[in-house]
Amino acid sequence: MTGVTNLSIQIVTGDSRPIFKQIVDGIRMEVAKGSLPPGAKLPSVRGLAMQLMINANTVAKAYGELTALGLVEARQGLGLFVTEPRQLLSDEEQQKRLDAAVGAFINEVAYLSYDSEHIIKAVQDALTSLGGKAGKNSDEG
Amino acid sequence: MTGVTNLSIQIVTGDSRPIFKQIVDGIRMEVAKGSLPPGAKLPSVRGLAMQLMINANTVAKAYGELTALGLVEARQGLGLFVTEPRQLLSDEEQQKRLDAAVGAFINEVAYLSYDSEHIIKAVQDALTSLGGKAGKNSDEG
DNA sequence: TCAACTGTACTATGTGTAATAGTACAGTGC
DNA sequence: GCACTGTACTATTACACATAGTACAGTTGA
């Protein structure tokens, strides 16, 4: 044991998202929630593959995505580690991502017969359950 | 002219979503915004295909999705028409869809360094721009 | 009746992605 | 040296997407 964080990721075959994407999203959520703090060591490619009963290349692909996102960092021969929180994207790119996410979200919920306040509250509750980890102020980091 | 509503859908090749999905989302948004009121006639499969410069089968697939969603209704030999607004899904299913949409949304925005209030406001603004069409009360339909 | 339109249902083909399997290599720690 | 780490290949299978062409039943207007 060198401090490897055990992940509680679940792979759902019925999900429309591919397996590697489910891993990326899962780890991204763990980091956002704080379950994976900066410096935490991720399970090895082969270890997580065995745990999830999938191919190692699939995990490697997910880890490649996370590395490209800047969320984790690879140290040759050691493993993957969660990076320190920082400004990963430009303000313009952040705004673009937010707009896209909001647009996609609205497209999904506008179809439902829910009150606007009900939708807002659902989002608020979900954000609150992150434990304020997403409540970072956007001062010059 | 038999009252066919002209659609302002744009197909973006750079989008990660497939073409037929972009059509589904586009029309779903038009209906939510009110640009496509109940009873409105959609462009024909071949007409929209020519307008968007894509294959007719792709439009047919999108129309099939919309029909399966219950958002539009096909009248043999006549065309597709927007259905009357009604409870299309069970309360349980609605809740499930909302949870999934919120979860996917949170997964996208938790990664960004935005204040919770900022995110909430973005969603609120987007909902408001729908013109209250999504503000339907969930009384027994 | 006939022609032109409507959605729908097929077959076939080409392309790209996802996932699997196996192999190989450089770096790290004991 | 050995066991571990991430990474990079090749190859194969399966599936989704988009295209192309054809066909059929129903509707409308001439």
Side-chain angles (χ1 to χ4, degrees), chain B residues 43-55:
Chain B
S44 74
V45 166
R46 297 167 181 83
L48 185 56
M50 202 178 309
Q51 176 189 327
L52 300 178
M53 294 191 297
I54 58 176
N55 194 273

Side-chain angles (χ1 to χ4, degrees), chain B residues 17-20 46 53-55 57-58 61 76-78:
Chain B
R17 301 199 176 283
I19 297 177
F20 85 93
R46 297 167 181 83
M53 294 191 297
I54 58 176
N55 194 273
N57 287 331
T58 305
K61 187 172 185 179
Q76 258 289 32
L78 296 180

Side-chain angles (χ1 to χ4, degrees), chain A residues 17 92-108, chain B residues 15-17 25 29 101 104-106 108-109 112 114 122-123 126:
Chain A
R17 301 200 176 282
E92 189 180 3
E93 185 64 23
Q94 295 240 6
Q95 186 67 42
K96 188 177 166 187
R97 300 280 180 103
L98 179 60
D99 288 346
V102 171
F105 175 68
I106 295 298
N107 197 297
E108 287 296 319
Chain B
D15 200 321
S16 62
R17 301 199 176 283
D25 289 347
M29 281 303 288
F105 176 69
I106 295 298
E108 287 295 319
V109 299
L112 307 173
Y114 275 125
V123 176

Side-chain angles (χ1 to χ4, degrees), chain B residues 27 31 36 40 42 62-74 80-83 86 88:
Chain B
I27 292 177
V31 172
L36 277 176
L42 266 61
Y63 279 11
E65 289 274 320
L66 289 167
T67 304
L69 287 172
L71 213 71
V72 299
E73 210 169 23
L80 277 192
F81 298 86
V82 179
T83 56
R86 50 183 161 144
L88 294 169

